[in-house]
Amino acid sequence: MKEILSKYNFTEEEINEFISHALVIKCPKRTMLLKEGEIPRFLYCATKGVFRGGFTDSKGVQYTRTFFTPHTTPFVMSYSSFMLQRPSLSFLEAIEDGELLSWPYDYVKNLEDTSFKWLSFFKKQIDIVFSYREIKDMQTYTLSPKEQYLAFLESSSSFVHLIPQHYIASYIGITPEALSRIRKQLKTDNRVKS
């Protein structure tokens, strides 16, 4: 967390003050941080582990929409629901054992209302998330599933080994069986090129 904040011209005192208000949460694998329909009361920041956000359709099938890690998008939240304090359309779940820092909504809102520096910081974090989202949306409509998988491997090389294949398939928008065929084809292609 200190590393993130130090990039935004916060003083050591401001950083320590912010961190001192955080609650450290140990998150076992499959912990549900937020369920669909709940109003998110906390801003989470991943310090360890991988988390996913997604939604459930009317048949109970879950879809993975995004992944959160300490080094990509560390702030784990349902953004519009948190900012507007309305029921979430998505869930947030720990994929593996992890750790989070957590701040109550009222504390974060007060920082935004009283400090332009903090308002600017949180806006930049949301900009990062939306830029990831825009790239993902573009890939969904312009790349084949195989190309999407290769792009995901490239952008997620530091944590892809921690994500179960069925979550990756869901993220790409294909079945686990289709992803298995793509992976098999890629292994075959690599053997032919060697």
Side-chain angles (χ1 to χ4, degrees), residues 72 132 139 148-159 171:
T72 56
Y132 272 101
Q139 290 175 344
Q148 287 183 63
Y149 178 62
L150 289 170
F152 178 72
L153 291 180
E154 185 177 333
S155 66
S156 311
S157 59
S158 62
F159 64 90
Y171 177 73

Side-chain angles (χ1 to χ4, degrees), residues 6 24 33 67 84 133 145 155 168 188:
S6 63
V24 178
L33 298 168
F67 297 104
L84 300 173
R133 198 65 240 148
S155 66
I168 296 173
T188 301

Side-chain angles (χ1 to χ4, degrees), residues 106-167:
D106 290 341
Y107 176 72
V108 173
K109 183 74 169 101
N110 183 60
L111 284 178
E112 289 186 333
D113 290 345
T114 58
S115 166
F116 179 76
K117 191 188 277 191
W118 281 107
L119 179 64
S120 177
F121 169 74
F122 289 121
K123 182 192 176 303
K124 285 175 184 171
Q125 299 312 303
I126 290 171
D127 289 347
I128 290 168
V129 169
F130 279 105
S131 69
Y132 272 101
R133 198 65 240 148
E134 186 175 52
I135 290 167
K136 172 63 173 85
D137 288 345
M138 180 274 300
Q139 290 175 344
T140 298
Y141 292 106
T142 62
L143 301 180
S144 69
K146 179 180 175 181
E147 291 168 328
Q148 287 183 63
Y149 178 62
L150 289 170
F152 178 72
L153 291 180
E154 185 177 333
S155 66
S156 311
S157 59
S158 62
F159 64 90
V160 69
H161 63 284
L162 301 171
I163 302 176
Q165 294 301 306
H166 64 283
Y167 290 156

Side-chain angles (χ1 to χ4, degrees), residues 187-194:
K187 284 181 184 175
T188 301
D189 290 349
N190 284 338
R191 280 200 298 267
V192 170
K193 289 176 186 175
S194 300

